[in-house]
Amino acid sequence: MTTHAPTTAYVLTAIGEDRPGLVAALAAAVDEHGGNWVDSQLALLAGKFAGIVQVELPDERAQSFLEALPALADEVGLEVEATVAGDPGEVAPHSALHLHLLGQDRTGMVREVASALRSQGATIDGLRSWTREAPEGGGMLFEAEAEVRLPADADQDGVREALETIAAELMVDLELDTTE
C-alpha cells in the first residue's frame, strides 16, 4: 500500500506585464517544489497577464514554495499571491444556466445583471465580458457570457423573468440556456 504525503491546496493569483515566459516561470516554481497544477484560468487584459491557479503542494515543501514566490516578481515581473484553498465541501444539488448578453455598452450593466441574479439566490460561477465596435459605426457593444448556478429549489422561471426585466431596461439581447 502506497501512502502519499499530506498536501495542501492553494489558490494563486498572478498579475504582470504581458511577456513570454510568465506561465512557464510559475509552472516551474510549482514543479520545483513538488506541486501539482490542478486548475487555472488565465487571461490577457489591457496588456496585463492575469491568472488564478489552484495548486496542491506537499506540506513539507509548501513553506519553501511560498517563500520562493516573491522572486518571480524580480525574475519575470509576475506578482503572485497565495492563499490556502477553501474546503469545496459537498456541492449542494443545483441547476445551471448559461447566460449570453449583447447590447450597447453603458456603465452598470454587470452590476444590474449580477444584482438580478443575487435577488434570485443565483451564484455566478464564471463570467467573461468584452467590448467591441458595433457594425457600421454603431458605437461600442458590450457582450458577456456567464455560467450561473441556481439552488435546487430555485424557480427558473423567476430567474428568467428577473433577467428579462433587466434586459428590457438595459435594452440588450439576453439568451438563457439550461446546461446539464
Side-chain angles (χ1 to χ4, degrees), residues 11-15 21-33 35 37 39-42 49-55 57 65 68-69 72 75-76 78-82:
V11 174
L12 310 177
T13 56
I15 191 163
L22 296 178
V23 175
L26 183 56
V30 171
D31 188 53
E32 289 166 4
H33 292 87
W37 187 293
D39 197 1
S40 62
Q41 292 190 21
L42 311 171
F49 167 82
I52 302 172
V53 181
Q54 179 186 351
V55 299
L57 292 153
F65 172 74
L69 290 178
L72 291 172
E75 294 169 10
V76 295
L78 189 63
E79 299 283 340
V80 181
E81 291 186 22

Side-chain angles (χ1 to χ4, degrees), residues 123-144:
T123 301
I124 299 172
D125 285 341
L127 171 67
R128 181 169 184 280
S129 63
W130 59 96
T131 57
R132 61 183 165 97
E133 291 282 337
E136 301 177 22
M140 292 298 289
L141 294 176
F142 176 83
E143 194 164 358

